[in-house]
Amino acid sequence: GENVEQHPSTLSVQEGDSAVIKCTYSDSASNYFPWYKQELGKRPQLIIDIRSNVGEKKDQRIAVTLNKTAKHFSLHITETQPEDSAVYFCAASAPGAQKLVFGQGTRLTINP
Amino acid sequence: EAQVTQNPRYLITVTGKKLTVTCSQNMNHEYMSWYRQDPGLGLRQIYYSMNVEVTDKGDVPEGYKVSRKEKRNFPLILESPSPNQTSLYFCASSLGSGFSGNTIYFGEGSWLTVV
């Protein structure tokens, strides 16, 4: 079955700098790759997603890139702000799998 | 307001005492699922349901049961809870009779401690 590896597990950046979180997946049939943000004590919330027919997607300060050949995808956050501090999860899903397979999570801390 | 509602939000229970975590969604979603979240492991699927009376195991189903008698409700049952089931549990729902990359909506989570 699908396996998703996420790195790094913790990331600390200065406010205003960029943050990059990377995930690799194992199932070449996976075609849906969402990113979730989870603030302390809250539910995971979808922040951006990408499908396998697209190489990059951007929404204001966040972007996701997908490399199907290498089976990895990344989340990019530019001009980081204190409210970006949270745990971020990547996930992948293959057709018919009936689930999202999540990475282990990255705790992002933005230092003022 | 579209939402997934779980209860209880917080529970401390003792080993072996049966408990049920309820989940209800008001979006008329066919697909519902339960995940547990543990440090360093991300979220792992316990069970899912593609429609009323259709349920199947996820990746970590041992020690859990589910039922789907109505479209809106998908309770998670721990018949004999053990300490290794101490975790944060999320119910989720999605449009469509099978998960096909539609947005998943999560409930607020249920913190369960088994002592």
Side-chain angles (χ1 to χ4, degrees):
Chain A
E2 175 69 278
N3 183 53
V4 177
E5 296 287 332
Q6 182 172 346
H7 298 280
S9 57
T10 60
L11 180 61
S12 183
V13 302
Q14 288 298 122
E15 183 177 353
D17 288 350
S18 295
V20 180
I21 302 170
K22 299 180 179 179
C23 290
T24 60
Y25 61 99
S26 61
D27 187 349
S28 57
S30 287
N31 63 351
Y32 177 62
F33 307 94
W35 285 89
Y36 285 83
K37 175 183 180 181
Q38 186 179 32
E39 296 176 352
L40 191 62
K42 301 285 183 66
R43 75 188 88 191
Q45 295 206 302
L46 179 71
I47 55 172
I48 196 167
D49 58 12
I50 193 168
R51 299 183 189 275
S52 58
N53 58 346
V54 175
E56 183 174 358
K57 185 176 179 180
K58 190 173 182 180
D59 183 3
Q60 299 183 332
R61 295 187 298 108
I62 60 173
V64 57
T65 58
L66 171 65
N67 183 326
K68 287 190 295 182
T69 303
K71 290 191 285 187
H72 67 69
F73 56 113
S74 300
L75 177 71
H76 306 253
I77 305 174
T78 59
E79 301 172 16
T80 53
Q81 300 168 4
E83 53 265 37
D84 294 329
S85 294
V87 177
Y88 291 81
F89 290 97
C90 64
S93 181
Q98 304 303 335
K99 64 183 176 185
L100 285 174
V101 178
F102 285 84
Q104 297 85 349
T106 296
R107 182 173 299 279
L108 175 63
T109 301
I110 308 302
N111 300 309
Chain B
E1 180 190 351
Q3 56 186 358
V4 180
T5 304
Q6 297 178 225
N7 280 295
R9 296 286 318 283
Y10 306 92
L11 180 64
I12 300 175
T13 190
V14 296
T15 299
K17 184 177 181 182
K18 180 180 178 180
L19 70 92
T20 299
V21 185
T22 63
C23 174
S24 181
Q25 50 91 6
N26 64 359
M27 296 170 279
N28 203 35
H29 286 168
E30 288 88 356
Y31 178 88
M32 297 186 74
S33 181
W34 277 100
Y35 287 82
R36 60 177 288 174
Q37 181 178 0
D38 301 290
L41 297 177
L43 290 87
R44 295 176 293 166
Q45 189 185 56
I46 303 170
Y47 268 94
Y48 67 92
S49 170
M50 292 196 288
N51 216 324
V52 175
E53 302 292 1
V54 180
T55 64
D56 209 345
K57 297 177 180 178
D59 293 323
V60 288
E62 295 77 19
Y64 304 95
K65 287 174 57 177
V66 293
S67 70
R68 188 88 183 275
K69 294 185 172 59
E70 305 166 279
K71 195 173 187 179
R72 63 183 291 125
N73 296 324
F74 190 44
L76 179 69
I77 303 155
L78 287 73
E79 293 271 2
S80 183
S82 62
N84 64 10
Q85 293 178 295
T86 293
S87 188
L88 174 59
Y89 292 86
F90 287 101
C91 181
S93 73
S94 180
L95 190 62
S97 59
F99 178 65
S100 57
N102 293 316
T103 299
I104 279 190
Y105 296 85
F106 284 96
E108 295 196 345
S110 295
W111 290 90
L112 172 63
T113 300
V114 184
V115 298

